[in-house]
Amino acid sequence: MLDLPVTEIFSSIQGEGPYVGVRQIFLRLPKCNLSCPYCDTEIKVSEQFRVELVPGTRIFSMLKNPIPLDELLDLLQTYDFSKHHSLSVTGGEPLLWVDELQVLLPLLKEKGIDIYLETNGTLPVELLQILPMVDIISMDLKLPFDSRTFWDVHEAFLRYSTQKEIFVKIVVNQATTWKDLQNARDLIARVDPAILTILQPVTPMQGIQAPRPQQLLEWQSFLLERIINVRVIPQTHVLIGQL
Ligand code: SF4
């Protein structure tokens, strides 16, 4: 049986996108293939990971990393999924662990647990390997940074994702350019103009500033020229002090 390093497991309130407010179990996995300037997530593999055994108490136990998949399955089954919308598989970038997820996710699906995948949308080949087991895909569409662009991998990823429930999040800040937004808009519209698209104002950090109110209004109108459903939703878990 394979094992898997974990960052943390806890019960919380989804803070981003159209499912904002639903209660989920979060399975956060380490490592990422990107290094976004606004990243606020711990991605290193630690010798131990923390787990909230009783949901909502914020009392954590420490377990050894990596954890065998059968033990992880047992652990996840201790949660009452009648009171949780789904299991958010998040990171880091969870698709870096596709070999392990190919084993784990079918077992979770057998137990009737819905899988909500949070991904940076840059690993389309890996996505294909677990796509049948995923119910909802929350895909980040990364605007260029550090002289890197992701348009081609994003387009492939998005085309595969349309087999499932999918929405796209674009994190924007005060320095976001019209050119990048145009490329993002046209990419989404090429795949399917009906894909729900979220403009997510960055939570300010390290000199990165949130967009001005007028920018958000103008950008939403601009995206709506080619995409049918564009919403502006900030990171709400930050506002209400949730993990
Ligand atoms: S993709 Fe997510 S986890 Fe990875 S660096 Fe960017 S914000 Fe951080």
Side-chain angles (χ1 to χ4, degrees):
M1 181 60 94
L2 291 170
D3 49 28
L4 180 64
V6 171
T7 302
E8 55 185 354
I9 301 173
F10 57 96
S11 164
S12 194
I13 300 166
Q14 175 57 242
E16 300 181 356
Y19 284 89
V20 67
V22 302
R23 192 71 178 257
Q24 290 179 310
I25 298 294
F26 289 78
L27 169 63
R28 186 182 305 286
L29 304 180
K31 292 196 178 178
C32 189
N33 58 324
L34 301 183
S35 51
C36 306
Y38 50 81
C39 184
D40 60 357
T41 309
E42 177 59 62
I43 58 169
K44 76 172 192 308
V45 178
S46 299
E47 288 186 0
Q48 293 183 310
F49 69 93
R50 66 176 194 165
V51 53
E52 187 187 38
L53 293 173
V54 182
T57 59
R58 296 298 181 256
I59 298 170
F60 290 90
S61 300
M62 301 303 291
L63 295 180
K64 192 171 171 301
N65 255 334
I67 181 170
L69 288 183
D70 53 350
E71 290 180 25
L72 179 56
L73 178 67
D74 289 345
L75 182 58
L76 291 171
Q77 283 186 89
T78 63
Y79 294 107
D80 181 356
F81 274 91
S82 72
K83 294 181 180 158
H84 291 86
H85 171 272
S86 51
L87 176 71
S88 170
V89 182
T90 187
E93 176 43 56
L95 288 175
L96 291 175
W97 302 102
V98 70
D99 291 345
E100 293 79 3
L101 292 177
Q102 276 188 94
V103 176
L104 180 65
L105 297 190
L107 300 172
L108 292 167
K109 291 298 296 172
E110 272 177 23
K111 306 296 177 191
I113 298 171
D114 287 336
I115 305 298
Y116 178 105
L117 177 69
E118 303 201 59
T119 170
N120 64 30
T122 59
L123 299 172
V125 175
E126 288 79 356
L127 173 69
L128 273 185
Q129 295 174 61
I130 61 161
L131 195 56
M133 283 84 80
V134 173
D135 297 285
I136 301 169
I137 302 171
S138 166
M139 173 193 164
D140 283 357
L141 195 152
K142 300 289 185 188
L143 301 180
F145 62 86
D146 294 346
S147 306
R148 293 182 69 189
T149 63
F150 309 96
W151 306 122
D152 290 345
V153 284
H154 275 333
E155 185 158 346
F157 194 100
L158 200 49
R159 288 190 188 282
Y160 296 149
S161 298
T162 52
Q163 299 172 36
K164 295 287 176 169
E165 181 177 342
I166 164 84
F167 63 90
V168 171
K169 283 184 301 182
I170 308 172
V171 177
V172 288
N173 67 73
Q174 214 169 96
T176 295
T177 68
W178 285 99
K179 184 69 190 161
D180 287 344
L181 284 175
Q182 182 175 7
N183 283 330
R185 179 193 71 174
D186 294 350
L187 186 160
I188 295 165
R190 260 196 315 279
V191 176
D192 183 352
I195 293 171
L196 172 60
T197 301
I198 310 296
L199 276 178
Q200 180 173 295
V202 74
T203 300
M205 64 179 301
Q206 295 172 3
I208 302 175
Q209 293 181 301
R212 291 183 292 275
Q214 191 64 28
Q215 283 179 303
L216 287 171
L217 290 168
E218 292 173 1
W219 292 340
Q220 186 182 32
S221 295
F222 180 66
L223 265 59
L224 282 165
E225 289 173 10
R226 295 202 61 196
I227 301 170
I228 294 166
N229 195 353
V230 182
R231 303 184 201 168
V232 178
I233 306 176
Q235 280 188 309
T236 63
H237 56 290
V238 179
L239 303 176
I240 57 174
Q242 295 297 326
L243 294 174

